PDB file of all heavy atoms in Angstrom:
ATOM      1  N   ARG U  99       0.767  13.970  -6.192  1.00 95.00           N
ATOM      2  CA  ARG U  99      -0.427  14.878  -6.463  1.00 95.00           C
ATOM      3  C   ARG U  99      -1.701  14.124  -6.404  1.00 95.00           C
ATOM      4  O   ARG U  99      -1.862  12.994  -7.049  1.00 95.00           O
ATOM      5  CB  ARG U  99      -0.342  15.579  -7.780  1.00 95.00           C
ATOM      6  CG  ARG U  99       0.826  16.514  -7.871  1.00 95.00           C
ATOM      7  CD  ARG U  99       0.897  17.178  -9.232  1.00 95.00           C
ATOM      8  NE  ARG U  99       2.163  18.057  -9.378  1.00 95.00           N
ATOM      9  CZ  ARG U  99       2.195  19.271  -8.928  1.00 95.00           C
ATOM     10  NH1 ARG U  99       1.194  19.840  -8.424  1.00 95.00           N
ATOM     11  NH2 ARG U  99       3.323  19.955  -9.106  1.00 95.00           N
ATOM     12  N   SER U 100      -2.655  14.683  -5.818  1.00 93.00           N
ATOM     13  CA  SER U 100      -4.119  14.159  -5.955  1.00 93.00           C
ATOM     14  C   SER U 100      -4.752  14.931  -7.015  1.00 93.00           C
ATOM     15  O   SER U 100      -4.802  16.158  -6.965  1.00 93.00           O
ATOM     16  CB  SER U 100      -4.768  14.286  -4.549  1.00 93.00           C
ATOM     17  OG  SER U 100      -4.778  15.688  -4.154  1.00 93.00           O
ATOM     18  N   LEU U 101      -5.196  14.266  -8.112  1.00 91.00           N
ATOM     19  CA  LEU U 101      -5.603  14.937  -9.296  1.00 91.00           C
ATOM     20  C   LEU U 101      -7.008  15.394  -9.321  1.00 91.00           C
ATOM     21  O   LEU U 101      -7.279  16.391  -9.946  1.00 91.00           O
ATOM     22  CB  LEU U 101      -5.361  13.992 -10.595  1.00 91.00           C
ATOM     23  CG  LEU U 101      -3.894  13.709 -10.731  1.00 91.00           C
ATOM     24  CD1 LEU U 101      -3.814  12.935 -12.111  1.00 91.00           C
ATOM     25  CD2 LEU U 101      -2.983  14.884 -10.849  1.00 91.00           C
ATOM     26  N   ASP U 102      -7.856  14.727  -8.644  1.00 88.00           N
ATOM     27  CA  ASP U 102      -9.315  15.134  -8.694  1.00 88.00           C
ATOM     28  C   ASP U 102      -9.928  15.158  -7.231  1.00 88.00           C
ATOM     29  O   ASP U 102     -11.115  15.041  -7.129  1.00 88.00           O
ATOM     30  CB  ASP U 102     -10.086  14.123  -9.556  1.00 88.00           C
ATOM     31  CG  ASP U 102      -9.835  12.699  -9.242  1.00 88.00           C
ATOM     32  OD1 ASP U 102      -9.038  12.439  -8.265  1.00 88.00           O
ATOM     33  OD2 ASP U 102     -10.329  11.875  -9.938  1.00 88.00           O
ATOM     34  N   PHE U 103      -9.105  15.323  -6.307  1.00 89.00           N
ATOM     35  CA  PHE U 103      -9.692  15.509  -4.970  1.00 89.00           C
ATOM     36  C   PHE U 103      -8.654  16.163  -4.102  1.00 89.00           C
ATOM     37  O   PHE U 103      -7.378  16.223  -4.442  1.00 89.00           O
ATOM     38  CB  PHE U 103     -10.048  14.121  -4.278  1.00 89.00           C
ATOM     39  CG  PHE U 103      -8.897  13.178  -4.069  1.00 89.00           C
ATOM     40  CD1 PHE U 103      -8.244  13.145  -2.775  1.00 89.00           C
ATOM     41  CD2 PHE U 103      -8.350  12.440  -5.061  1.00 89.00           C
ATOM     42  CE1 PHE U 103      -7.222  12.304  -2.478  1.00 89.00           C
ATOM     43  CE2 PHE U 103      -7.286  11.485  -4.782  1.00 89.00           C
ATOM     44  CZ  PHE U 103      -6.793  11.498  -3.501  1.00 89.00           C
ATOM     45  N   GLN U 104      -9.071  16.706  -2.948  1.00 90.00           N
ATOM     46  CA  GLN U 104      -8.147  17.376  -2.128  1.00 90.00           C
ATOM     47  C   GLN U 104      -7.763  16.408  -0.975  1.00 90.00           C
ATOM     48  O   GLN U 104      -8.663  15.733  -0.466  1.00 90.00           O
ATOM     49  CB  GLN U 104      -8.751  18.637  -1.423  1.00 90.00           C
ATOM     50  CG  GLN U 104      -9.030  19.755  -2.558  1.00 90.00           C
ATOM     51  CD  GLN U 104      -9.555  20.993  -1.976  1.00 90.00           C
ATOM     52  OE1 GLN U 104     -10.240  20.996  -0.920  1.00 90.00           O
ATOM     53  NE2 GLN U 104      -9.299  22.111  -2.590  1.00 90.00           N
ATOM     54  N   ALA U 105      -6.532  16.470  -0.550  1.00 89.00           N
ATOM     55  CA  ALA U 105      -6.089  15.500   0.481  1.00 89.00           C
ATOM     56  C   ALA U 105      -5.341  16.284   1.553  1.00 89.00           C
ATOM     57  O   ALA U 105      -4.186  16.767   1.327  1.00 89.00           O
ATOM     58  CB  ALA U 105      -5.134  14.513  -0.219  1.00 89.00           C
ATOM     59  N   THR U 106      -5.905  16.469   2.726  1.00 87.00           N
ATOM     60  CA  THR U 106      -5.295  17.088   3.876  1.00 87.00           C
ATOM     61  C   THR U 106      -4.133  16.164   4.443  1.00 87.00           C
ATOM     62  O   THR U 106      -3.233  16.622   5.020  1.00 87.00           O
ATOM     63  CB  THR U 106      -6.275  17.370   4.958  1.00 87.00           C
ATOM     64  OG1 THR U 106      -6.918  16.197   5.332  1.00 87.00           O
ATOM     65  CG2 THR U 106      -7.354  18.490   4.477  1.00 87.00           C
ATOM     66  N   THR U 107      -4.244  14.849   4.101  1.00 89.00           N
ATOM     67  CA  THR U 107      -3.201  13.979   4.609  1.00 89.00           C
ATOM     68  C   THR U 107      -2.900  13.034   3.451  1.00 89.00           C
ATOM     69  O   THR U 107      -3.717  12.534   2.702  1.00 89.00           O
ATOM     70  CB  THR U 107      -3.870  13.122   5.799  1.00 89.00           C
ATOM     71  OG1 THR U 107      -4.352  13.905   6.823  1.00 89.00           O
ATOM     72  CG2 THR U 107      -2.824  12.164   6.302  1.00 89.00           C
ATOM     73  N   MET U 108      -1.582  12.868   3.287  1.00 92.00           N
ATOM     74  CA  MET U 108      -0.990  11.916   2.401  1.00 92.00           C
ATOM     75  C   MET U 108       0.053  11.024   3.100  1.00 92.00           C
ATOM     76  O   MET U 108       0.524  11.460   4.207  1.00 92.00           O
ATOM     77  CB  MET U 108      -0.343  12.589   1.253  1.00 92.00           C
ATOM     78  CG  MET U 108      -1.283  13.329   0.247  1.00 92.00           C
ATOM     79  SD  MET U 108      -0.378  14.054  -1.103  1.00 92.00           S
ATOM     80  CE  MET U 108      -1.821  14.594  -2.097  1.00 92.00           C
ATOM     81  N   PHE U 109       0.319   9.845   2.667  1.00 92.00           N
ATOM     82  CA  PHE U 109       1.067   8.916   3.364  1.00 92.00           C
ATOM     83  C   PHE U 109       2.252   8.505   2.386  1.00 92.00           C
ATOM     84  O   PHE U 109       2.002   8.375   1.172  1.00 92.00           O
ATOM     85  CB  PHE U 109       0.394   7.679   3.799  1.00 92.00           C
ATOM     86  CG  PHE U 109      -0.773   7.968   4.645  1.00 92.00           C
ATOM     87  CD1 PHE U 109      -2.003   8.271   4.112  1.00 92.00           C
ATOM     88  CD2 PHE U 109      -0.641   7.931   5.987  1.00 92.00           C
ATOM     89  CE1 PHE U 109      -3.176   8.518   4.835  1.00 92.00           C
ATOM     90  CE2 PHE U 109      -1.768   8.322   6.772  1.00 92.00           C
ATOM     91  CZ  PHE U 109      -3.052   8.428   6.247  1.00 92.00           C
ATOM     92  N   TRP U 110       3.412   8.423   2.914  1.00 95.00           N
ATOM     93  CA  TRP U 110       4.608   7.919   2.198  1.00 95.00           C
ATOM     94  C   TRP U 110       4.998   6.523   2.753  1.00 95.00           C
ATOM     95  O   TRP U 110       5.307   6.366   3.834  1.00 95.00           O
ATOM     96  CB  TRP U 110       5.720   8.976   2.306  1.00 95.00           C
ATOM     97  CG  TRP U 110       5.463  10.189   1.534  1.00 95.00           C
ATOM     98  CD1 TRP U 110       4.930  11.249   1.964  1.00 95.00           C
ATOM     99  CD2 TRP U 110       5.758  10.421   0.053  1.00 95.00           C
ATOM    100  NE1 TRP U 110       4.916  12.326   0.930  1.00 95.00           N
ATOM    101  CE2 TRP U 110       5.363  11.674  -0.216  1.00 95.00           C
ATOM    102  CE3 TRP U 110       6.208   9.555  -0.908  1.00 95.00           C
ATOM    103  CZ2 TRP U 110       5.479  12.166  -1.520  1.00 95.00           C
ATOM    104  CZ3 TRP U 110       6.328  10.090  -2.250  1.00 95.00           C
ATOM    105  CH2 TRP U 110       5.977  11.344  -2.462  1.00 95.00           C
ATOM    106  N   TYR U 111       5.204   5.625   1.731  1.00 94.00           N
ATOM    107  CA  TYR U 111       5.654   4.296   2.048  1.00 94.00           C
ATOM    108  C   TYR U 111       6.941   4.032   1.328  1.00 94.00           C
ATOM    109  O   TYR U 111       7.237   4.602   0.285  1.00 94.00           O
ATOM    110  CB  TYR U 111       4.509   3.258   1.606  1.00 94.00           C
ATOM    111  CG  TYR U 111       3.332   3.282   2.502  1.00 94.00           C
ATOM    112  CD1 TYR U 111       2.236   4.183   2.234  1.00 94.00           C
ATOM    113  CD2 TYR U 111       3.151   2.333   3.445  1.00 94.00           C
ATOM    114  CE1 TYR U 111       1.114   4.155   2.990  1.00 94.00           C
ATOM    115  CE2 TYR U 111       1.944   2.225   4.182  1.00 94.00           C
ATOM    116  CZ  TYR U 111       0.995   3.211   3.959  1.00 94.00           C
ATOM    117  OH  TYR U 111      -0.091   3.103   4.695  1.00 94.00           O
ATOM    118  N   ARG U 112       7.599   2.990   1.824  1.00 94.00           N
ATOM    119  CA  ARG U 112       8.834   2.491   1.154  1.00 94.00           C
ATOM    120  C   ARG U 112       8.711   0.959   1.058  1.00 94.00           C
ATOM    121  O   ARG U 112       8.275   0.382   1.997  1.00 94.00           O
ATOM    122  CB  ARG U 112      10.015   2.842   2.061  1.00 94.00           C
ATOM    123  CG  ARG U 112      11.353   2.534   1.466  1.00 94.00           C
ATOM    124  CD  ARG U 112      12.490   3.136   2.404  1.00 94.00           C
ATOM    125  NE  ARG U 112      13.828   2.799   1.927  1.00 94.00           N
ATOM    126  CZ  ARG U 112      14.914   3.187   2.472  1.00 94.00           C
ATOM    127  NH1 ARG U 112      14.836   3.984   3.573  1.00 94.00           N
ATOM    128  NH2 ARG U 112      16.121   2.840   1.994  1.00 94.00           N
ATOM    129  N   GLN U 113       9.186   0.440  -0.059  1.00 87.00           N
ATOM    130  CA  GLN U 113       9.087  -0.929  -0.204  1.00 87.00           C
ATOM    131  C   GLN U 113      10.460  -1.489  -0.714  1.00 87.00           C
ATOM    132  O   GLN U 113      10.889  -1.042  -1.807  1.00 87.00           O
ATOM    133  CB  GLN U 113       7.933  -1.330  -1.289  1.00 87.00           C
ATOM    134  CG  GLN U 113       7.724  -2.788  -1.409  1.00 87.00           C
ATOM    135  CD  GLN U 113       6.680  -3.040  -2.467  1.00 87.00           C
ATOM    136  OE1 GLN U 113       6.393  -2.314  -3.442  1.00 87.00           O
ATOM    137  NE2 GLN U 113       5.998  -4.243  -2.282  1.00 87.00           N
ATOM    138  N   PHE U 114      10.985  -2.392   0.040  1.00 81.00           N
ATOM    139  CA  PHE U 114      12.219  -3.075  -0.360  1.00 81.00           C
ATOM    140  C   PHE U 114      11.792  -4.359  -1.122  1.00 81.00           C
ATOM    141  O   PHE U 114      10.755  -4.885  -0.853  1.00 81.00           O
ATOM    142  CB  PHE U 114      13.098  -3.480   0.786  1.00 81.00           C
ATOM    143  CG  PHE U 114      13.724  -2.334   1.460  1.00 81.00           C
ATOM    144  CD1 PHE U 114      13.201  -1.775   2.607  1.00 81.00           C
ATOM    145  CD2 PHE U 114      14.702  -1.563   0.839  1.00 81.00           C
ATOM    146  CE1 PHE U 114      13.854  -0.652   3.246  1.00 81.00           C
ATOM    147  CE2 PHE U 114      15.349  -0.496   1.365  1.00 81.00           C
ATOM    148  CZ  PHE U 114      14.848  -0.070   2.604  1.00 81.00           C
ATOM    149  N   PRO U 115      12.600  -4.901  -1.934  1.00 77.00           N
ATOM    150  CA  PRO U 115      12.334  -6.037  -2.818  1.00 77.00           C
ATOM    151  C   PRO U 115      11.770  -7.191  -1.916  1.00 77.00           C
ATOM    152  O   PRO U 115      12.305  -7.558  -0.885  1.00 77.00           O
ATOM    153  CB  PRO U 115      13.666  -6.434  -3.503  1.00 77.00           C
ATOM    154  CG  PRO U 115      14.361  -5.094  -3.574  1.00 77.00           C
ATOM    155  CD  PRO U 115      13.996  -4.421  -2.329  1.00 77.00           C
ATOM    156  N   LYS U 116      10.679  -7.839  -2.286  1.00 72.00           N
ATOM    157  CA  LYS U 116      10.066  -8.939  -1.614  1.00 72.00           C
ATOM    158  C   LYS U 116       9.750  -8.660  -0.193  1.00 72.00           C
ATOM    159  O   LYS U 116       9.552  -9.621   0.691  1.00 72.00           O
ATOM    160  CB  LYS U 116      11.081 -10.137  -1.679  1.00 72.00           C
ATOM    161  CG  LYS U 116      11.299 -10.609  -3.061  1.00 72.00           C
ATOM    162  CD  LYS U 116      12.081 -11.876  -3.227  1.00 72.00           C
ATOM    163  CE  LYS U 116      12.272 -12.346  -4.558  1.00 72.00           C
ATOM    164  NZ  LYS U 116      13.146 -13.569  -4.702  1.00 72.00           N
TER     165      LYS U 116
END
Side-chain angles (χ1 to χ4, degrees):
Chain U
R99 295 182 184 273
S100 55
L101 296 187
D102 50 3
F103 65 96
Q104 294 183 332
T106 55
T107 304
M108 291 185 175
F109 303 89
W110 287 96
Y111 289 82
R112 182 175 181 177
Q113 184 182 25
F114 290 105
K116 298 186 179 181

